[in-house]
C-alpha cells in the first residue's frame, strides 16, 4: 500500500471500526504527530512506538466516537476533517503527510467549545 488515499482510508478505518491493529503497518519510523490537546500546544508524539501507542489508545477508547466528515488528498498530503463525540464533543482537522506508504506527519487542530 503506497497510495496516499489508501493509507488515509486505512488510518480512518482504524478509528471508525475501533480496529487499532490496522495502524501497525501505516506509521513511519520517523513519524511526528501533534495532537489537539492539552492546551496550549497539544501533545507531541515522535517515532513509530509513540505514534502507534497513542493512536491505538485513541482508536480503542470506548468513550470516544469518531466521524470522518471529509477527506482531501493532494499527492503525498491529506486533510481529514473529523468530529469526536463522547467525553468531549469537538471538531478538528488533521494535516497528514505520507511517504512510501507510511504516515510521516500528522498535525491535529481542534475546535473545542
Amino acid at each position: 500500500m503506497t497510495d496516499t488515499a489508501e493509507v488515509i482510508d486505512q488510518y480512518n478505518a482504524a478509528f471508525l471500526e475501533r480496529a487499532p491493529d490496522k495502524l501497525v503497518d501505516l506509521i513511519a519510523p520517523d513519524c511526528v504527530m501533534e495532537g489537539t490537546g492539552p492546551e496550549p500546544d497539544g501533545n507531541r508524539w515522535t517515532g513509530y512506538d509513540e505514534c502507534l501507542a497513542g493512536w491505538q489508545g485513541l482508536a480503542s477508547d470506548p468513550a470516544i466516537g469518531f466521524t470522518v466528515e471529509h477527506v482531501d488528498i493532494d499527492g503525498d498530503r491529506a486533510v481529514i476533517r473529523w468530529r469526536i463525540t463522547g467525553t468531549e464533543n469537538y471538531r478538528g482537522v488533521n494535516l497528514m503527510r505520507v511517504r512510501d506508504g507510511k504516515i510521516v506527519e500528522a498535525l491535529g487542530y481542534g475546535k473545542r467549545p
Side-chain angles (χ1 to χ4, degrees), residues 3-24:
D3 181 65
T4 300
E6 289 177 53
V7 172
I8 297 303
D9 284 347
Q10 185 80 0
Y11 173 84
N12 286 334
F15 293 93
L16 295 171
E17 299 169 17
R18 296 200 186 288
D21 289 345
K22 290 188 174 196
L23 296 162
V24 170

Side-chain angles (χ1 to χ4, degrees), residues 7-8 11 15 23-35 43-56 76 94-99 101-108:
V7 172
I8 297 303
Y11 173 84
F15 293 93
L23 296 162
V24 170
D25 295 326
L26 299 182
I27 302 168
D30 58 342
C31 184
V32 174
M33 183 284 215
E34 293 181 357
N43 60 327
R44 181 177 173 91
W45 299 329
T46 57
Y48 178 87
D49 292 335
E50 283 186 19
C51 290
L52 179 63
W55 279 330
Q56 284 188 326
D76 66 344
N94 276 16
L95 308 178
M96 310 288 284
R97 189 164 54 92
V98 174
R99 180 185 67 227
K102 307 284 185 193
I103 298 168
V104 293
E105 186 176 56
L107 308 175

Side-chain angles (χ1 to χ4, degrees), residues 82-98:
W82 47 262
R83 183 178 300 268
I84 288 181
T85 56
T87 307
E88 290 186 83
N89 297 324
Y90 62 99
R91 296 176 72 200
V93 297
N94 276 16
L95 308 178
M96 310 288 284
R97 189 164 54 92
V98 174

